[in-house]
Amino acid sequence: MTITIRPGSTVMFTGDSITDCQRLESEDGLGFGYPLRVAGEWGFRHPDRPVTWLNTGISGHKVTDLEARWRTDVLDARPDLVSILVGVNDMGWHTIDPEGHVIPAEEFEAGYDRLLAPLAEAGTGLILIEPFLLPIRGVVEAGAARIGEGERKQWRTDLDPKIQAVRRLARRYGAHLIAADGMFAELSTTTGAGPEYWAADGVHPTPAGHAALAAAWLRLVA
């Protein structure tokens, strides 16, 4: 079943850098990633149904960061539909930040649940995009840290239970789910283009990766 977006609706994207995508540097505040692609394609298909599109993603944010700003950045806007992509910064934080620590999947899920509960109570439509990690090769620099095969194995071990948590929450709240981790894994094996084609560093989508996310998102709405 798809979500019907009615004329005059407010749709909000929120999360971390994948959603942020330099939104503060863009004229419309949507950034240069999948939220912009969604808004543009929707506007092209449905000029008779104007929508207010908002983006409150912030680079580097974890579930706890979203919690701290949830009232002012999300709930107070009274959106009709909220799309959330968070979790990549909750994964492997301890491997690249000297002050970082392991965030247990149970802690991640409990915090995410607290984000969703007031939206569900208000009858807000929900789209959850599961976090993802593509199996690229080689070493990637992330600030002062160097991320290689060993770190990515730790990340994958850390991420898998968090992906399952997002899937459980989607079922619990009747939210629409974009199974992005599986989607990118399939694209990487069936298109002839490797994982780097979709996310050069394994985490941040390329333009093609953002297009894939936008296409998956638009399949959920009507």
Side-chain angles (χ1 to χ4, degrees), residues 56-67:
T56 60
I58 296 181
S59 180
H61 272 202
K62 302 180 287 295
V63 163
T64 53
D65 299 305
L66 265 63
E67 279 196 85

Side-chain angles (χ1 to χ4, degrees), residues 3-206:
I3 300 172
T4 300
I5 300 181
R6 304 187 184 283
S9 292
T10 296
V11 177
M12 175 173 290
F13 300 93
T14 195
D16 52 38
S17 60
I18 301 169
T19 301
D20 180 340
C21 212
Q22 299 175 286
R23 65 182 175 87
L24 296 181
E25 299 173 27
S26 62
E27 291 185 6
D28 51 20
L30 288 176
F32 303 101
Y34 74 93
L36 177 65
R37 292 174 179 270
V38 167
E41 183 64 25
W42 176 268
F44 175 71
R45 295 181 188 178
H46 305 286
D48 58 328
R49 281 194 271 168
V51 172
T52 297
W53 303 95
L54 302 175
N55 184 349
T56 60
I58 296 181
S59 180
H61 272 202
K62 302 180 287 295
V63 163
T64 53
D65 299 305
L66 265 63
E67 279 196 85
R69 61 186 179 88
W70 203 241
R71 169 59 59 186
T72 55
D73 279 9
V74 178
L75 301 181
D76 285 351
R78 299 183 181 277
D80 300 286
L81 174 62
V82 174
S83 173
I84 307 169
L85 170 53
V86 68
V88 72
N89 296 301
D90 295 84
M91 165 199 77
W93 183 37
H94 57 290
T95 65
I96 60 175
D97 187 337
E99 298 182 2
H101 61 274
V102 176
I103 299 174
E106 296 78 11
E107 180 181 322
F108 171 82
E109 184 169 358
Y112 208 137
D113 189 290
R114 290 191 292 271
L115 299 178
L116 298 178
L119 293 171
E121 185 177 347
T124 306
L126 294 169
I127 293 178
L128 307 187
I129 307 175
E130 69 185 25
F132 49 86
L133 177 65
L134 279 70
I136 64 166
R137 297 181 178 180
V139 176
V140 174
E141 293 187 1
R146 291 170 58 82
I147 309 302
E149 298 295 329
E151 288 79 11
R152 279 193 289 274
K153 284 183 179 179
Q154 292 183 60
W155 285 11
R156 172 49 68 182
T157 300
D158 193 347
L159 184 64
D160 282 344
K162 294 182 170 81
I163 290 174
Q164 294 304 317
V166 174
R167 293 177 180 178
R168 280 194 298 274
L169 289 168
R171 291 192 295 270
R172 185 180 307 162
Y173 286 99
H176 287 66
L177 174 73
I178 297 178
D181 192 65
M183 177 188 77
F184 281 123
E186 182 177 1
L187 286 171
S188 297
T189 57
T190 61
T191 62
E196 291 84 358
Y197 182 81
W198 307 103
D201 63 359
V203 170
H204 297 92
T206 60

